Amino acid sequence: MKVYFKYATMGSGKSAKACICAYNYQEQGLKTLCVIPEVDTRHQFWEKDGFTMGRIASRIEGLTQEAYVLKNGEMLTDLIDRLPFKHDVIIIDEVQFLSTEQIDNLVQYSLANNEVIICYGLMTTFKTTLFQGSRRLVELNAELEHLKSVGTNGKCTVVNAKFSNGIIQTEGEDVEVGGNGRYRAISLEEYYRLLRERNLTV
């Protein structure tokens, strides 16, 4: 199996790395199939040749990559079957938003076709539990790479903490697309300190 999961906290440059990865393949004359999940509605979608399109978009201005939108409940193989071109590699951004069934499908596709699939995304929710798509990639033994970044205290960020009025939150829906202003990547040290301040842990 050639499925890779490159994971990190928010704001660590995952989408930038996905764009650069696609560019590297394209510079070698290879065809990339870039994919984003439909739930990632932070950027505008449009229709092109019967497909819904979007963008892998970094916070670095101008660094983007056109991508096919994998709709909720749609399998990667269904999208591939409709494509008018052959591809050499598949790059998926925000993979944590895919369902267990969608991850199973892409892993089986990689096995059957000996194809490289490079996934980028978050490992855990703000509650420090695994996202569904991320959990399934771990369960199916995708090759993991932790893309490290540092927080304001200089320590490695691990938690995608959610805040409301400056107070850390531990309850609510796992997925809140577009709520970036309420999230901040923090280290474990800071996470537990903030919980102690709320008397949520010892």
Side-chain angles (χ1 to χ4, degrees), residues 46-202:
W46 68 94
E47 297 299 316
K48 175 182 172 183
D49 301 326
F51 294 92
T52 301
M53 306 299 296
R55 292 192 185 282
I56 298 173
S58 167
R59 289 181 174 86
I60 301 172
E61 187 175 350
L63 185 56
T64 66
Q65 185 72 223
E66 186 175 85
Y68 287 80
V69 174
L70 188 65
K71 296 185 177 179
N72 297 335
E74 181 182 21
M75 297 298 115
L76 181 66
T77 50
D78 295 332
L79 173 63
I80 291 171
D81 287 344
R82 296 192 295 122
L83 290 173
F85 63 86
K86 300 277 188 186
H87 56 273
D88 299 292
V89 63
I90 299 171
I91 297 171
I92 303 176
D93 196 27
E94 304 294 352
V95 72
Q96 74 273 5
F97 293 139
L98 297 186
S99 68
T100 295
E101 293 75 19
Q102 287 173 315
I103 297 296
D104 279 335
N105 178 256
L106 73 84
V107 166
Q108 291 176 56
Y109 176 81
S110 174
L111 286 168
N113 296 276
N114 196 34
E115 181 141 353
V116 174
I117 303 179
I118 305 172
C119 305
Y120 294 83
L122 302 174
M123 181 67 83
T124 57
T125 72
F126 72 94
K127 291 180 278 190
T128 67
T129 57
L130 294 169
F131 277 102
Q132 182 178 170
S134 306
R135 180 179 65 245
R136 195 60 179 151
L137 284 169
V138 172
E139 291 170 344
L140 295 179
N141 201 36
E143 185 166 325
L144 306 178
E145 181 182 351
H146 183 195
L147 305 175
K148 296 182 180 179
S149 62
V150 297
T152 55
N153 62 356
K155 302 289 182 67
C156 180
T157 58
V158 176
V159 179
N160 302 296
K162 182 179 180 180
F163 294 85
S164 177
N165 298 318
I167 300 173
I168 194 168
Q169 303 298 300
T170 59
E171 298 179 352
E173 295 295 323
D174 286 346
V175 178
E176 184 184 353
V177 178
N180 287 356
R182 288 189 283 274
Y183 291 89
R184 180 163 56 89
I186 60 176
S187 67
L188 276 177
E189 290 88 344
E190 185 173 5
Y191 173 68
Y192 284 119
R193 177 181 63 78
L194 291 169
L195 291 183
R196 285 194 297 270
E197 289 176 358
R198 286 198 59 193
N199 295 318
L200 294 175
T201 188
V202 292

